[in-house]
Amino acid sequence: MGGFFGIVSKSDCVRDLFFGTDYHSHLGTKRGGLATHDGDDFIRFIHNIENSQFRSKFEDDIAKMRGRLGIGVISDYEDQPLIIGSHLGVYAIVTVGVVANLDELARETFGKRATHFSEMSGGEVNPTELVATLINQQATFEDGIQHAQDVIEGSCSILLLTRNGIYAARDKFGRTPVVTATKDGACAVTLETCALPNIDCRVERYLGPGEIVWMTEDGIEQIRPPGDCLQICAFLWVYYGYPSSNYEGINVEVVRNRCGAALARRDSTDVDLVAGIPDSGTGHAIGYANERHLPYARPFVKYTPTWPRSFMPQDQTIRDLVAVMKLIPVHELVEGKRLMFCEDSIVRGTQLKQTIQRLYACGAKEVHMRPACPPLVYGCKFLNFSRSRSELDLAARRSICEIEGDETATPEAYADPDSDTFHRMVEGIRKRLNLTTLQYQRLDDLVAAIGLPNEKLCTYCWDGVT
Amino acid sequence: MGGFFGIVSKSDCVRDLFFGTDYHSHLGTKRGGLATHDGDDFIRFIHNIENSQFRSKFEDDIAKMRGRLGIGVISDYEDQPLIIGSHLGVYAIVTVGVVANLDELARETFGKRATHFSEMSGGEVNPTELVATLINQQATFEDGIQHAQDVIEGSCSILLLTRNGIYAARDKFGRTPVVTATKDGACAVTLETCALPNIDCRVERYLGPGEIVWMTEDGIEQIRPPGDCLQICAFLWVYYGYPSSNYEGINVEVVRNRCGAALARRDSTDVDLVAGIPDSGTGHAIGYANERHLPYARPFVKYTPTWPRSFMPQDQTIRDLVAVMKLIPVHELVEGKRLMFCEDSIVRGTQLKQTIQRLYACGAKEVHMRPACPPLVYGCKFLNFSRSRSELDLAARRSICEIEGDETATPEAYADPDSDTFHRMVEGIRKRLNLTTLQYQRLDDLVAAIGLPNEKLCTYCWDGVT
Amino acid sequence: MGGFFGIVSKSDCVRDLFFGTDYHSHLGTKRGGLATHDGDDFIRFIHNIENSQFRSKFEDDIAKMRGRLGIGVISDYEDQPLIIGSHLGVYAIVTVGVVANLDELARETFGKRATHFSEMSGGEVNPTELVATLINQQATFEDGIQHAQDVIEGSCSILLLTRNGIYAARDKFGRTPVVTATKDGACAVTLETCALPNIDCRVERYLGPGEIVWMTEDGIEQIRPPGDCLQICAFLWVYYGYPSSNYEGINVEVVRNRCGAALARRDSTDVDLVAGIPDSGTGHAIGYANERHLPYARPFVKYTPTWPRSFMPQDQTIRDLVAVMKLIPVHELVEGKRLMFCEDSIVRGTQLKQTIQRLYACGAKEVHMRPACPPLVYGCKFLNFSRSRSELDLAARRSICEIEGDETATPEAYADPDSDTFHRMVEGIRKRLNLTTLQYQRLDDLVAAIGLPNEKLCTYCWDGVT
Amino acid sequence: MGGFFGIVSKSDCVRDLFFGTDYHSHLGTKRGGLATHDGDDFIRFIHNIENSQFRSKFEDDIAKMRGRLGIGVISDYEDQPLIIGSHLGVYAIVTVGVVANLDELARETFGKRATHFSEMSGGEVNPTELVATLINQQATFEDGIQHAQDVIEGSCSILLLTRNGIYAARDKFGRTPVVTATKDGACAVTLETCALPNIDCRVERYLGPGEIVWMTEDGIEQIRPPGDCLQICAFLWVYYGYPSSNYEGINVEVVRNRCGAALARRDSTDVDLVAGIPDSGTGHAIGYANERHLPYARPFVKYTPTWPRSFMPQDQTIRDLVAVMKLIPVHELVEGKRLMFCEDSIVRGTQLKQTIQRLYACGAKEVHMRPACPPLVYGCKFLNFSRSRSELDLAARRSICEIEGDETATPEAYADPDSDTFHRMVEGIRKRLNLTTLQYQRLDDLVAAIGLPNEKLCTYCWDGVT
């Protein structure tokens, strides 16, 4: 998905910028970047973080950076920040989101015979460069950012750094969060609020959908008020977000605990212990165990010294290897046990199947699975989440195909969790994963656990509603 | 402390050697090293891992390594493995432990005017090179290893790789574990058993104190039987070990759960939730929460993408910074709450004090602390644990000094957990840390939680008994 | 100045591209870059070569490159090659020359509100990106390249790589050379012909001024015929070029030998030996010594293992240090000797003065200097040569200022080598450098040594004629 | 061969140590190393220089080094300097030479069961570590160094750095030079005197064979007087040394010029121009051209920006490639010309043959060759020169084998340059290399060109006399 951070300070901001950006490391696996303006020039560094930590890659750079304002990014895809020169002046820019109509927009701009894209890798247009091009088509930054958001399909939150300040813009429907914050002598903007406490910042305001603000030394000024329609991604709480983060004021760990509790309230399966698939299943499992007063335990421990976050080995063999290597079983907590596992979600189920096999190989008596969200049946169009995955690879869709004997079957008939079709779909998944029992979260329970009105949440990947 | 791994295989062993060694990353912060013999020559790589992961540093090297037998090490102190040539032939060697009489032994060897040490950094003798020198003084490897263990004070477990096999020796009193393992076509030796399952190895045997084995393609042969006196470090279960590891057949996570349960059984404090100081307090806290049927929660989340394990920044300011940066609070789980924390132990208490202050700053109503072991009053002489720490820095010793008004006061009078002196010492610590309540584990409860007879455990840091 | 190389082959071209580009290393000190098209995508690498060799920086990259066509560049200034996407498609581009009206052209393009520059460093527009923008303004590559050359003041030779072939364009007045070449199964294009023999290529044709060709697997096709007016830089033979290179079919070493001979023919000074200031003075000195049948010698030897070419240390102190360190005197060939030195030219004379002082310090009896070209009085506007040097820093201008007592004095009156004013100017330089005698080459002798008609040569820096 | 440099100064010595060592870069291709003592500890860096320059590798290190005394080394073989701890204290050591009886000495030391070698790579003993072991066997450094030189067969010059000063020892027969030097506030020791002028040092004294001195802040003290028998390597002047260096007070470039002149005096072949095979043939060719008043020219130019010195590509294919790539022909100076080439020597002749073929391919009419020394018939036993070459690979031995039809033929009968056998051997080489004429230097002429009495020169590789 990616994440970003920006800061404007009365003193040098590099240390805060470094840590503020670093606290988004869990959101992206390909590129990290930082840019400051030191009063004279922009200073920028971009590194490949596919196989090492942001911290290791940037620790030397920050000694060469200075400035009282800057932006940073963790990117799942393209090189960022870009330094752009145009009739608006020179600026740095980072974006989070997905420009679904990228090719169409690029063709349109080309048509005017007056622009080009130079940040291309593998022949593809750099989405952030395209966004900059859209901004440059207008007379002011404000108009340009608004224009970009009007024509982009998908989502696009933006930080734009000039020599004087930072424009921060939340995407049109607020699918990704953008939060302003303050501390003595500085104001900041972040995607993840977990970036704030350790650099002594407090949340100032959760920007609304499409809202634009202008941050300078003198404070934060609203440039464009928020729109009416909020469609924040519900998956942020379920999976993406760091447990210490809040979106719309609602904490991730707390929601996960409530998700687990909700699953527990509809469950009376007899088990010996409750566990989560690390890391994102942990919060759900704790909530489940507490609700049912069952022992919580860690039959699998993740080897964080080596696998601190998701990496992107280019080789599929190595990727499978990592899946095996990162979790180490505790035999004593598996052998002969009836195990209740909470997991954030089941996507394709490939690695989960392998994990379950290993539990049986360790002597597990029963393995029960409780995903914290309903079956995924639609691929995300609004964030980078499912960029390279076919919808038909989703475990639920596969199960539907098997039932229907037809790849073109529409999943609508399998939506109602009280229906027989739904139960047959779940049963298909259960069998394939070789689980003792499998019970999904209901969408209404998930929405209640988050605590926002349903219409403010994007639940597209579960119900196809846009 | 450090850790090591060795393997002899019928096919190339490099991948297993790499992962087997890597799974000791939590045990050392300074150097990593690998050595194989490829049939013709030794191939060796050593890297500084103070500021990055073993994996990142060695991933390129392993493409250049090959061989059917090899050894690896994670070292808290010196460069290893060394490649040594002597009248015994050429061999590679790694060690774990502490040679307490290093200077004396070096002087003795110098006295013979016939040896030297070339692996010196900062003018200090490399302990592993000294061990090699001791081995070389005898006619055979067996005699040499035995001789080394006879004259070394402290502890010294050894892996010694020749072109034909590996000698594995557990230190004289078994303070550190050494475990042999097997799989089809290979046998291995490890300090941490958590290194085994993901490379498909099963524990063969927990070597006894002073035991020496010789591992070749044909199997594992006992060269010297174990001694009678076992003094395995109890702190391995409490703090050092990875949750998935077993020593003497007893699992770490299980012991931690039992430690927490033991603390819980002697406690009736009213609290809202139970939590552990990550990472090593987690297992204790889970045990505590389960025993008292109290809600377990994570009011602090460690930012593992950036701080996957302990690092050793050379600068103290940065070290303090890391302490702050690695834990991110979840306000919702702290504010207005009565928090019960389990921690593995309290050493100096400096960083813990800071952590507690942050909890109050987040609005914690009460902060209770339950260390999983008794107060530390003696510095370890047998492992690297307390190398650079003065005994008088220990929180318990500091409290005793304040009570006695005298740095030379002996701590014996404060040993009995039922005594008034003990309670006054604990109260001193509680006040300094600003805790609502503080209750330490009793030594007998700890010993029971581990499950070995007291006389087989080294409990020196708590009771001074050697 | 910079240099470039391109190749289209029936088989993989990477090795030839690497060496072909590498043989331009003497022409630039800041950036090196390579780009190929592998049938699917562009593959590009750019490295900083300010402090190390092109070869060391790119040796690892070429293992990752493949393709049957590619371009490479050694650049004195900006990052290249750029990968550009536009309505013309995706392409890679490199340029050599100087866009004197860069800021004006950038402002014009911005004015259309539809373009931007993303390859900015320190807030400056990347000249090659600007050239791409100019090309993109037209309907075809041919029209675009011609348009760029029409509006650019200065000079701009271009290689433009598409997935199907390479456009090669020599700058409008042919100030820099562009040469096509062939071998079995491949055709190439180069700035320096010294890049050709060791990759088995033969010169096909020296492109004329403003000429554009299109190179594919099937051969080289003229797209635009050459213009009438050639103004090739005479300094290429005197200083820039590698001795093994030819421009307009005329070899550099041969011209240098003829330059030295011309100086010799007007000279009868009694000396003990003749020497060149390495490296570029060597060819001139050999010609001089041979013409007068005087002993040629090497009283200074350049320490090439450490100073293989010019480097660009950022620190002026270090730059001065390098000047001292790179030449090692041979006392025996200096002490008590009357030394005749040939040098390519005298620019500011700062380092030369230091070198002369060292000769006296080694016991030189007399030091005579013979620059192979006339006094430099105008700063180059057409290549990057004098980018950062003020005209008033030139040794000749400084001497004129001293004579006139006025910085605004025009140098026209000092142009005639037979005039008294000219002799007074030279005498001023001679005194400042503490030379026994100083005699410059006459411009007519230089032109004759090169062998092209005067009107085809750019001699602006000597006579101000454009 | 390798080279070393040491300095003791009243102020920080790191800059001088860096440059002093760097000026030996032409003598070794594998390792570079520096060590200083900063008053408290030794600071040491060793780098692989097989594929990059000493300067690039050490530029970052020197910022971390400090101290008023230090030693440095360019090594063709082993890791150096070593930091050694022994009963003599801690010291750093570098050596130049070859320990011909290495294995025997190692076995002897092992026999005492009290030493070992830890600096082993590929199972081989590090010769410098062996030398240290030999030194440690005595009661003092002086006795130790003398002992080492007494038992070593081959040659071994030594710099040994303690916290107080540097011991410098020239090998027993003075095969390699060791020269002391001074400047204000410092004294230095070097192998190559070309290291001195640019750091403002003057030669103090050329140490005699086996001489040992002790250098401190207070000056240079003779510890052991020189022996009677000098056997300095004559090849130092012919090939190894840098033109700016002197040995026994005799300059390399001057000797090379005299070598060329001597060849010229015995020659009357009609040619168009005289040239040297770069780099080491240049000085010889200049002497030849000057003596015969023939034009000197550069029909081959070495591409120094990329090939500043010899490198050691591990791959033979790449090594051959380098041989082709490093020289670029100047067609105009080859085509139709009768070329007289001077070369330092002909070893195997493999690459020379290739070079000659390229000259004919460029249209050379005649190619004449004049090696500056007699035919090489014996492999060097005293320096590293011929470490990996079989004597039978030498061009002269190959020619003898062909004449005799027998590999075991002794070359004695071919020694006299006036004999018919000698002429037949030379004719064999000429034919194989496809030369128009081939005339070798006579040994008496070579000795006269150097200017030392024959008995003070080692001429073993030509006459087998030890």
Side-chain angles (χ1 to χ4, degrees), chain C residues 15 22-23 25-26 51 59 198 242 246 253 286 290 296 302-303 306 321 325 327 332 358, chain D residues 15 22-23 25-26 51 59 198 242 246 253 286 290 296 298 302-303 306 321 325 327 332 358:
Chain C
R15 185 187 154 284
D22 178 56
Y23 280 125
S25 294
H26 55 288
N51 206 22
E59 238 165 17
N198 289 350
Y242 216 71
N246 287 22
E253 180 76 358
I286 290 170
N290 287 342
Y296 170 74
K302 186 172 163 187
Y303 197 67
T306 301
L321 190 71
M325 289 299 167
L327 297 181
E332 285 75 359
R358 292 179 71 203
Chain D
R15 187 186 153 286
D22 177 56
Y23 279 125
S25 293
H26 56 288
N51 205 23
E59 238 165 18
N198 290 350
Y242 215 72
N246 287 22
E253 179 76 357
I286 290 170
N290 286 342
Y296 169 74
R298 299 194 297 173
K302 185 172 164 190
Y303 198 67
T306 301
L321 190 71
M325 288 300 167
L327 297 182
E332 285 75 359
R358 292 177 73 202

Side-chain angles (χ1 to χ4, degrees), chain B residues 98-112 115 117 125 127 130-131 133-134 137 147-154 156:
Chain B
V98 64
V99 182
N101 54 339
L102 181 76
D103 292 340
E104 190 193 324
L105 289 172
R107 261 196 314 277
E108 275 175 30
T109 354
F110 285 158
K112 300 181 186 162
T115 198
F117 298 100
V125 170
L130 177 74
V131 173
T133 302
L134 297 170
Q137 288 172 358
H147 169 63
Q149 299 207 330
D150 284 346
V151 300
I152 286 168
E153 292 172 17
C156 184

Side-chain angles (χ1 to χ4, degrees), chain C residues 105-341:
Chain C
L105 290 172
R107 259 196 314 278
E108 275 175 30
T109 353
F110 285 158
K112 300 181 184 162
R113 259 196 215 174
T115 198
H116 67 279
F117 298 101
S118 67
E119 291 286 347
M120 320 230 0
S121 109
E124 288 180 59
V125 170
N126 177 316
T128 298
E129 191 178 13
L130 176 74
V131 174
T133 303
L134 297 171
I135 293 170
N136 297 340
Q137 288 171 357
Q138 302 298 319
T140 63
F141 282 121
E142 296 87 304
D143 290 354
I145 293 170
Q146 180 150 351
H147 170 62
Q149 299 207 330
D150 286 345
V151 299
I152 286 170
E153 293 172 15
S155 71
C156 183
S157 288
I158 299 167
L159 298 185
L160 189 156
L161 171 73
T162 76
R163 57 179 305 131
N164 301 315
I166 296 172
Y167 289 94
R170 188 171 179 187
D171 72 272
K172 198 173 180 181
F173 297 106
R175 297 184 194 281
T176 52
V178 176
V179 187
T180 54
T182 54
K183 70 185 226 183
D184 267 7
C187 54
V189 58
T190 192
L191 193 143
E192 284 284 69
T193 62
C194 72
L196 301 175
N198 289 350
I199 57 168
D200 296 321
C201 284
R202 289 162 306 280
V203 168
E204 194 242 8
R205 209 155 59 74
Y206 295 86
L207 297 193
E211 183 170 356
I212 307 176
V213 297
W214 167 240
M215 299 164 57
T216 65
E217 234 180 81
D218 303 323
I220 304 171
E221 178 192 351
Q222 196 186 56
I223 294 289
R224 190 198 183 193
D228 297 326
C229 180
L230 177 64
Q231 282 286 292
I232 184 167
C233 171
F235 223 65
L236 282 165
W237 285 278
V238 172
Y239 165 73
Y240 277 131
Y242 216 71
S244 317
S245 283
N246 287 22
Y247 315 117
E248 311 300 320
I250 301 167
N251 175 260
V252 170
E253 180 76 358
V254 166
V255 168
R256 288 184 187 166
N257 291 173
R258 289 199 293 241
C259 279
L263 284 164
R265 279 191 296 270
R266 296 192 189 266
D267 201 357
S268 59
T269 317
D270 231 22
V271 295
D272 295 312
L273 50 84
V274 178
I277 304 285
D279 287 335
S280 40
T282 302
H284 302 293
I286 290 170
Y288 185 105
N290 287 342
E291 179 72 21
R292 290 192 61 195
H293 297 286
L294 289 170
Y296 170 74
R298 298 194 298 172
F300 264 125
V301 185
K302 186 172 163 187
Y303 197 67
T304 55
T306 301
W307 313 108
R309 62 163 175 84
S310 299
F311 287 99
M312 287 282 286
Q314 301 188 2
D315 190 278
Q316 179 64 36
T317 330
I318 297 176
R319 217 174 308 187
D320 293 344
L321 190 71
V322 170
V324 172
M325 289 299 167
K326 72 179 177 191
L327 297 181
I328 317 180
V330 179
H331 276 257
E332 285 75 359
L333 299 178
V334 176
E335 201 170 353
K337 295 281 195 293
R338 295 168 302 168
L339 304 163
M340 170 60 67
F341 272 95

Side-chain angles (χ1 to χ4, degrees), chain B residues 14 167 285 313 373 377:
Chain B
V14 173
Y167 290 95
C373 67
V377 280

Side-chain angles (χ1 to χ4, degrees), chain A residues 15 19 21-27 50-56 59 193-195 197-199 242-244 246 249-251 253-254 256-257 279 282-283 286 290 293-298 300-309 311 318 321 324-333 358, chain B residues 15 19 21-27 50-56 59 193-195 197-199 242-244 246 249-251 253-254 256-257 279 282-283 286 290 293-298 300-309 311 318 321 324-333 358:
Chain A
R15 186 186 153 285
F19 280 112
T21 306
D22 178 56
Y23 279 125
H24 293 80
S25 293
H26 56 287
L27 289 177
E50 281 170 290
N51 205 23
S52 71
Q53 301 164 261
F54 178 87
R55 187 175 67 86
S56 319
E59 238 165 18
T193 63
C194 73
N198 289 351
I199 56 167
Y242 216 72
S244 316
N246 287 23
I250 301 167
N251 175 261
E253 180 76 358
V254 166
R256 288 185 188 166
N257 291 171
D279 290 332
T282 302
I286 290 170
N290 286 342
H293 298 286
L294 289 169
Y296 169 74
R298 299 194 297 174
F300 266 125
V301 185
K302 185 173 164 188
Y303 197 66
T304 54
T306 301
W307 313 108
R309 61 162 174 84
F311 288 99
I318 297 177
L321 189 71
V324 171
M325 289 300 167
K326 73 180 177 190
L327 297 181
I328 317 179
V330 179
H331 277 256
E332 284 76 359
L333 299 178
R358 293 178 72 202
Chain B
R15 187 186 152 285
F19 280 112
T21 306
D22 178 56
Y23 280 125
H24 293 81
S25 294
H26 55 287
L27 289 177
E50 280 172 290
N51 205 22
S52 71
Q53 300 165 262
F54 179 87
R55 188 175 66 87
S56 319
E59 238 165 16
T193 62
C194 74
N198 289 351
I199 56 169
Y242 215 73
S244 317
N246 286 23
I250 301 167
N251 174 261
E253 180 76 357
V254 166
R256 289 185 186 165
N257 290 172
D279 290 334
T282 302
I286 290 171
N290 286 342
H293 298 288
L294 289 170
Y296 169 73
R298 299 193 297 172
F300 265 125
V301 185
K302 184 172 164 189
Y303 198 66
T304 54
T306 302
W307 313 108
R309 62 163 174 84
F311 288 99
I318 297 178
L321 189 71
V324 171
M325 289 299 166
K326 73 180 176 191
L327 297 181
I328 316 179
V330 179
H331 276 257
E332 285 76 359
L333 299 178
R358 291 179 74 203

